[in-house]
Amino acid sequence: MQRNIKSIINYNLAATDCIVGEVEEFYFDDKSWKIRYLVVKTGNWLSGRKVLIAPHVLLKQPWQDGFFPVNLAKKQIENSPDIDTDKPVSRQQEIELYGHYQWESYWGSGFYGGGSLGVSMPFPVLDQKVLIEADKQDKHTDDDIHLRSTGSIIGYHIHTTNGEIGHIIDFIVDDQTWQIKFIVIDTHNWFGGKKVLIPVAHVKEINWSENKIHLDITSSVVDKSILFKEADYPQVQTVN
């Protein structure tokens, strides 16, 4: 099922023994447009610290009442590596995170074996030095992993091959694969303020320093694109 990102912001992350906190935003890979992490702001029990949760550990059941259920205990999340979400996430930080939960890595080495639902295994977390050395063999440790925040890109100006056409206001994501399929553009002054869906395949370049997204299509193609209607996507009232 496809959902718009704004409709699942503020969903509660439900661990096996408590509500951990609220989903504040998502990190996606700006090359593959794949969601890599949910950014969860924890409650008072962890001083409002933000933690990263990989979407593949969400339980495979319908999301109901604004909850993302995970097969992780509060203690596991509390003891997870401290990652400053206001700064770029490095590969080494990802290695620490995946080593802590014993998840299988998505970037190629497959060295961090564990249950697909993030279940803690009965053996200790592997030594960090061993993890890094293993990953170096696959030449991924120093890669630029292109992680970006969905929240930070909202408002970026959209430029077609023949001029500016509006700004980005949302994303459409497949809730099974966590693949971003479309960006939602508000054309405001250009075409009467209508909102349209543009496949991410048409994103030619993202200029992060100038807050611009360049498309490989003309403004007339944007004008004829599928309209975005929020009512077409599931809406759930979150529980605080």
Side-chain angles (χ1 to χ4, degrees), residues 44-234:
N44 295 331
W45 60 276
L46 206 49
S47 301
R49 173 184 152 209
K50 296 178 184 178
V51 296
L52 300 182
I53 298 293
H56 74 267
V57 304
L58 299 180
L59 294 179
K60 301 299 182 182
Q61 65 185 51
W63 304 336
Q64 297 178 349
D65 301 324
F67 289 96
F68 282 129
V70 293
N71 195 14
L72 297 171
K74 172 184 175 182
K75 198 68 175 178
Q76 288 176 285
I77 298 172
E78 184 176 5
N79 293 332
S80 65
D82 193 3
I83 298 176
D84 186 350
T85 57
D86 292 327
K87 297 179 180 179
V89 178
S90 69
R91 177 67 80 215
Q92 182 170 340
Q93 289 174 315
E94 288 200 296
I95 290 172
E96 293 174 356
L97 186 69
Y98 274 66
H100 169 74
Y101 288 117
Q102 298 178 25
W103 294 336
E104 183 176 356
S105 70
Y106 68 83
W107 55 87
S109 71
F111 194 72
Y112 321 99
S116 62
L117 296 179
V119 180
S120 180
M121 302 300 285
F123 47 81
V125 173
L126 297 175
D127 183 82
Q128 176 66 14
K129 291 182 179 179
V130 177
L131 291 174
I132 293 174
E133 287 305 314
D135 209 61
K136 281 181 179 178
Q137 294 177 10
D138 281 338
K139 300 180 181 179
H140 288 290
T141 302
D142 298 322
D143 285 355
D144 176 3
I145 54 180
H146 303 286
L147 290 180
R148 304 290 181 173
S149 160
T150 54
S152 67
I153 198 175
I154 295 296
Y156 272 34
H157 297 282
I158 306 296
H159 289 256
T160 65
T161 57
N162 58 326
E164 186 174 350
I165 202 66
H167 62 277
I168 184 171
I169 60 171
D170 208 345
F171 306 83
I172 304 299
V173 63
D174 185 310
D175 66 10
Q176 297 298 309
T177 65
W178 288 92
Q179 185 73 43
I180 295 177
K181 298 293 188 180
F182 302 92
I183 57 174
V184 183
I185 298 175
D186 185 345
T187 63
H188 53 277
N189 296 330
W190 280 265
F191 299 123
K194 67 181 180 182
K195 301 173 179 63
V196 296
L197 301 177
I198 301 297
V200 295
H202 286 306
V203 176
K204 180 181 179 180
E205 177 190 0
I206 303 177
N207 188 320
W208 300 103
S209 62
E210 297 182 7
N211 298 347
K212 296 178 181 179
I213 296 177
H214 295 273
L215 306 179
D216 62 3
I217 53 179
T218 65
S219 57
S220 62
V221 174
V222 173
D223 184 29
K224 298 173 184 176
S225 296
I226 300 172
L227 292 178
F228 168 70
K229 299 178 182 178
E230 195 170 8
D232 291 341
Y233 299 89

